[in-house]
């Protein structure tokens, strides 16, 4: 094979990757270190029997304008609490469905609409920039698909937590392990808030 053709092929692939990266928007959603470390719930796996402390779950509904196109973000972030900048033990991006005529970005921001709905857990979130994963036996394992069902969503009674909800749910995850695909299941008990994205700015 001609060396020039090989070099051109490699250069073309590199250019395509750079262009694709630049043409896609990005969204940074950085939460305060104190919130990242604060435990407001738990995620309990059945097998292996593990209880993971969770930070508050966040619902993000935002339209990102980029190069004349509009990109929709409709997702719930489920992430383990982690202190001192440590990587969380679990991070899942859950897709939120919209019914015809609905607009989750500008609506009443009431997460009880997702009660008893099977929500799809996506392999990536934040417009494909971040991956869903779970750490099992000190090994980061990709999550390929799954479902989260919020069996109950109710406002918290504490006035200091205005806009926060208590969420109960069950989940199933399909993960890539060293010996193939494994299915994990368990329960969720946590707090949930809907980010106020109507005035938020997305990085482009």
């Amino acid at each position: 094979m001609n060396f020039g053709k090989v070099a051109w092929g490699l250069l073309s692939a590199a250019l395509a990757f750079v262009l694709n990266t630049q043409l896609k928007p990005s969204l940074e959603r950085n939460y305060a270190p104190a919130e990242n470390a604060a435990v407001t719930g738990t995620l309990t796996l059945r097998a292996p029997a593990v209880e993971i402390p969770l930070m508050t779950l966040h619902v993000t509904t935002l339209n990102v304008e980029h190069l004349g196109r509009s990109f929709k973000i409709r997702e719930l972030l489920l992430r383990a609490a982690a202190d001192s900048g440590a990587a969380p033990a679990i991070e899942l991006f859950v897709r939120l469905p919209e019914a015809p005529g609905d607009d989750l970005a500008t609506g009443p921001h009431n997460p009880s609409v997702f009660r008893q709905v099977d929500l799809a857990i996506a392999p990536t979130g934040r417009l494909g920039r971040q991956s869903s994963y779970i750490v099992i036996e000190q090994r980061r394992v990709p999550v390929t698909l799954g479902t989260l069902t919020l069996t109950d969503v109710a406002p918290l009674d504490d006035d200091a937590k205005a806009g926060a909800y208590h969420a109960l749910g069950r989940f199933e995850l399909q993960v890539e392990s060293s010996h193939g695909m494994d299915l994990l299941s368990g329960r969720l008990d946590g707090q949930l808030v809907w980010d106020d994205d109507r005035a938020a700015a997305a990085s482009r």
Side-chain angles (χ1 to χ4, degrees):
M1 182 178 290
N2 186 287
F3 175 77
K5 289 183 179 180
V6 173
W8 174 248
L10 293 174
L11 179 61
S12 299
L15 286 172
F17 174 79
V18 171
L19 284 173
N20 186 53
T21 301
Q22 292 300 317
L23 290 175
K24 290 179 63 176
S26 63
L27 174 71
E28 295 296 332
R29 183 66 78 229
N30 295 317
Y31 302 108
E35 182 178 4
N36 286 332
V39 177
T40 60
T42 55
L43 181 144
T44 306
L45 290 175
R46 289 197 181 93
V50 176
E51 186 171 277
I52 300 173
L54 296 179
M55 68 172 280
T56 298
L57 284 67
H58 283 263
V59 172
T60 299
T61 53
L62 179 64
N63 298 330
V64 179
E65 303 297 328
H66 182 72
L67 298 178
R69 296 178 60 193
S70 182
F71 297 81
K72 283 187 174 185
I73 297 178
R74 305 288 188 268
E75 62 192 20
L76 181 153
L77 171 63
L78 187 157
R79 183 164 60 186
D83 202 357
S84 303
I90 189 170
E91 188 166 67
L92 301 176
F93 295 94
V94 183
R95 294 193 182 116
L96 302 177
E98 283 189 298
D102 284 351
D103 189 346
L104 295 179
T106 59
H109 288 188
N110 183 352
S112 64
V113 298
F114 306 123
R115 186 189 292 119
Q116 298 297 342
V117 177
D118 290 337
L119 305 173
I121 297 172
T124 62
R126 297 298 188 255
L127 299 171
R129 299 281 185 160
Q130 295 175 240
S131 298
S132 293
Y133 70 86
I134 182 171
V135 175
I136 300 176
E137 297 178 349
Q138 300 183 333
R139 181 170 171 268
R140 179 166 163 160
V141 179
V143 174
T144 57
L145 55 85
T147 58
L148 170 67
T149 304
L150 298 177
T151 55
D152 192 26
V153 183
L156 288 174
D157 294 332
D158 187 356
D159 290 338
K161 298 284 189 179
Y165 292 78
H166 181 211
L168 298 174
R170 60 180 182 271
F171 65 90
E172 289 188 345
L173 305 175
Q174 181 174 293
V175 301
E176 285 186 35
S177 68
S178 57
H179 53 272
M181 292 293 182
D182 283 340
L183 187 64
L184 305 177
S185 63
R187 295 198 170 274
L188 162 75
D189 185 340
Q191 291 185 18
L192 183 153
V193 297
W194 198 308
D195 290 346
D196 186 7
D197 287 316
R198 281 171 277 199
S203 64
R204 296 167 171 81

